[in-house]
Amino acid sequence: MRGVFGFKRLRLKIWRRCTLLFFLCWAACWLLGSTFLFLVHRSVFSERCTDEKSHRILARLCLDYSKGALTGDLCEDLCVAQKLVYKQCLYYDRGKKVIQADWKGQPVILKSKKEIFSSYQRLRLLDEVETQDVPETELLLMVALEVKNVLGLELSNNTMGPLWTRRRDLHWKAQVASMWSLLQQEEYIYFSLLQDFSKHVLRVIGSCGHFYAVEYLTAGQAWHKTIFPLEDAVGPSFTGTKRKVKAITDIALSFLDMVNHFDNDFSHRLHLCDIKPENFAIRNDLTVVAIDVDMAFFEPKMRDILEQNCTEDEDCNFFDCFSKCDLTIRKCGAERANNNLQVICDKIFRHWFSPNLRGHTISFPLQLQLQKAVHECAKPEPKDLTQHQQTSLHSLSELYHLLQASQRELQKADG
Ligand SMILES: Nc1ncnc2c1ncn2[C@@H]1O[C@H](COP(=O)(O)OP(=O)(O)O)[C@@H](O)[C@H]1O
Ligand SMILES: [Mg+2]
């Protein structure tokens, strides 16, 4: 009997010790984890913009406007009528300036690569001529040269309308100087030129000096459970797993549309080399929009960027765009070895198509097929480039097919 009691006491003792040890370990991990998070958090947010700084930037813009140095269709609303009102800033100090504002009750975003107008290169022509008599054709030629320089594309005169249309009522020097500051921003050129051809790029609303206004959308967030905060895009009443899964399926299909469109619908393929949730947004109708195209390149420019000297494949990686090192000539291949779809599968779709998010709203076999297809699509490229293109086409059509099947299942469950 004593033996049994002794054994029980020993077990209790061990159990108590284990619990204490477990508790101590848990407390230590918690402490370490919080310290780590605190440090990361502080280092990320310490360089965030402040309201004060952003107000200063806009005040300076308006001062330059009042002096007649710059102009634009939104300057009056921003600087005089107060119809364009500052709300908050969204940028990191070292990055481009991204400011949320309210324009006649509608949210908009103001963007500029640099803070101050005079930091942009000034057009020499403006100091050389005094009158308005610079022929329109000469200005258009300069715009075309700048576009060729920035995008590596040759454009005809009639496609440059969104970049330069003179307004007779405004001071012409300020107009040309403002246009020139905008033309030094690749993003502005992309957004303006692709406006009428693509629903997957931001709409430009107007400009004032070096700042241009674009539509305000629901941007992606790396840590958000559904990447895009769906309640913000569709409305606060947007709840329920099934509606969320349906929305994610629609957004994923829109991503595929965008990939297909950027690959095939322009005169050259458009490569996205900085693919992450924060660089995409959704409209209310769940269309995916590329909101940060600083690292987007049409094929000719992409080839120039990739074709570098190398000693190994790693030398041929340019953010999300890779090519292969030809060791015999020690040069990177000009052709990109991966593609937009592959990176989107890897950095966005993988997050969505995991069992815990989709719950039981879609049948298990279809869920498995989707996970497998996303895994295949995200896999590193095969050695042979033609084989790679075929694999990618196959991935695209398979994903389309599976997502459409998910949509049908969800609709059937509704009906
Ligand atoms: N049109 C927009 N609508 C809503 N949020 C936006 C918009 N444009 C940018 N943002 C927000 O601002 C952030 C920074 O903008 P982005 O153009 O990506 O600048 P950066 O080049 O500094 O990354 C984005 O990640 C997004 O959260
Ligand atoms: Mg960005």
Side-chain angles (χ1 to χ4, degrees):
M1 214 51 187
R2 272 189 66 170
V4 173
F5 272 129
F7 180 65
K8 270 194 177 166
R9 210 176 305 143
L10 185 69
R11 247 188 20 190
L12 200 69
K13 229 176 179 179
I14 293 176
W15 188 80
R16 270 198 203 134
R17 283 229 172 117
C18 281
T19 317
L20 188 71
L21 214 66
F22 173 77
F23 179 75
L24 281 176
C25 273
W26 179 82
C29 287
W30 190 84
L31 208 69
L32 266 174
S34 331
T35 319
F36 174 74
L37 273 182
F38 174 73
L39 289 175
V40 169
H41 199 262
R42 216 179 46 169
S43 72
V44 168
F45 291 101
S46 61
E47 5 161 33
R48 270 283 195 192
C49 53
T50 61
D51 286 344
E52 191 204 340
K53 175 112 188 265
S54 309
H55 275 302
R56 232 185 303 136
I57 293 174
L58 293 182
R60 176 71 194 261
L61 177 73
C62 287
L63 182 70
D64 286 342
Y65 171 62
S66 67
K67 286 184 188 159
L70 56 83
T71 186
D73 50 2
L74 291 178
C75 289
E76 202 63 16
D77 280 353
L78 176 71
C79 305
V80 184
Q82 306 291 318
K83 287 182 190 157
L84 181 56
V85 185
Y86 172 85
K87 279 273 170 257
Q88 61 167 332
C89 58
L90 303 168
Y91 57 90
Y92 290 96
D93 260 352
R94 273 172 293 150
K96 61 177 172 262
K97 312 301 153 212
V98 183
I99 291 172
Q100 188 187 330
D102 203 83
W103 185 48
K104 301 177 183 167
Q106 165 200 357
V108 295
I109 291 279
L110 292 170
K111 276 186 162 187
S112 169
K113 208 154 99 176
K114 295 178 187 170
E115 209 173 297
I116 303 170
F117 186 66
S118 56
S119 314
Y120 286 96
Q121 196 189 68
R122 190 172 159 79
L123 194 61
R124 226 178 314 139
L125 177 108
L126 289 174
D127 305 319
E128 287 164 4
V129 286
E130 273 310 316
T131 63
Q132 292 203 23
D133 294 337
V134 180
E136 204 72 5
T137 44
E138 200 171 313
L139 276 172
L140 278 174
L141 186 68
M142 283 187 329
V143 175
L145 280 176
E146 191 61 15
V147 172
K148 169 101 179 62
N149 189 20
V150 174
L151 302 194
L153 290 187
E154 288 192 30
L155 294 184
S156 59
N157 275 359
N158 53 356
T159 46
M160 275 175 318
L163 292 175
W164 171 249
T165 28
R166 183 184 292 198
R167 287 191 42 202
R168 297 265 160 222
D169 50 329
L170 297 173
H171 180 43
W172 86 277
K173 268 195 180 186
Q175 262 189 76
V176 175
S178 302
M179 168 201 76
W180 202 243
S181 69
L182 291 170
L183 283 181
Q184 286 167 58
Q185 304 179 57
E186 299 83 354
E187 251 195 10
Y188 173 78
I189 301 185
Y190 274 111
F191 292 149
S192 304
L193 287 180
L194 300 180
Q195 288 292 284
D196 301 333
F197 304 103
S198 178
K199 59 177 182 180
H200 295 289
V201 297
L202 275 175
R203 298 270 158 275
V204 179
I205 291 165
S207 64
C208 177
H210 54 308
F211 271 90
Y212 56 98
V214 289
E215 58 185 330
Y216 174 86
L217 300 176
T218 305
Q221 296 166 12
W223 304 107
H224 196 278
K225 199 171 166 215
T226 51
I227 294 185
F228 298 99
L230 298 170
E231 297 81 6
D232 294 357
V234 190
S237 62
F238 196 86
T239 47
T241 314
K242 194 151 88 202
R243 290 184 74 183
K244 282 194 174 149
V245 172
K246 196 167 178 313
I248 288 171
T249 311
D250 288 351
I251 299 169
L253 275 165
S254 185
F255 262 111
L256 296 185
D257 263 337
M258 185 188 75
V259 165
N260 197 23
H261 172 59
F262 286 177
D263 277 356
N264 302 304
D265 295 349
F266 304 133
S267 50
H268 298 282
R269 183 175 282 227
L270 183 62
H271 297 276
L272 303 177
C273 298
D274 188 11
I275 292 181
K276 56 183 176 187
E278 295 91 328
N279 288 345
F280 297 94
I282 47 170
R283 294 204 179 92
N284 295 349
D285 64 357
L286 304 181
T287 311
V288 172
V289 176
I291 58 172
D292 178 351
V293 290
D294 283 326
M295 289 278 183
F297 307 99
F298 282 109
E299 183 74 24
K301 186 106 183 186
M302 184 81 263
R303 296 180 80 88
D304 277 353
I305 292 173
L306 289 173
E307 217 172 15
Q308 302 292 326
N309 294 335
C310 61
T311 51
E312 53 181 351
D313 281 347
E314 271 72 55
D315 298 338
C316 309
N317 295 356
F318 183 77
F319 298 88
D320 289 324
C321 297
F322 311 149
S323 80
K324 298 264 170 212
C325 182
D326 183 341
L327 292 171
T328 50
I329 52 167
R330 292 178 170 249
K331 234 182 162 66
C332 299
E335 193 160 343
R336 185 179 173 193
N338 63 345
N339 56 44
N340 293 343
L341 178 65
Q342 196 184 3
V343 190
I344 285 173
C345 280
D346 185 25
K347 296 199 174 170
I348 294 176
F349 284 8
R350 249 192 226 272
H351 177 93
W352 279 334
F353 300 104
S354 58
N356 48 359
L357 182 71
R358 300 189 74 85
H360 299 293
T361 44
I362 291 179
S363 66
F364 190 61
L366 192 50
Q367 281 188 42
L368 277 185
Q369 276 178 296
L370 257 171
Q371 280 170 51
K372 196 165 155 262
V374 168
H375 179 78
E376 285 295 311
C377 157
K379 261 199 339 213
E381 63 283 358
K383 290 268 175 291
D384 176 3
L385 280 180
T386 30
Q387 192 194 342
H388 169 52
Q389 271 157 12
Q390 279 165 3
T391 324
S392 167
L393 268 178
H394 175 257
S395 274
L396 187 73
S397 67
E398 192 183 13
L399 283 168
Y400 255 124
H401 168 79
L402 292 171
L403 288 168
Q404 278 164 348
S406 307
Q407 265 184 336
R408 279 195 298 273
E409 271 195 13
L410 287 161
Q411 258 154 20
K412 231 191 253 164
D414 265 349

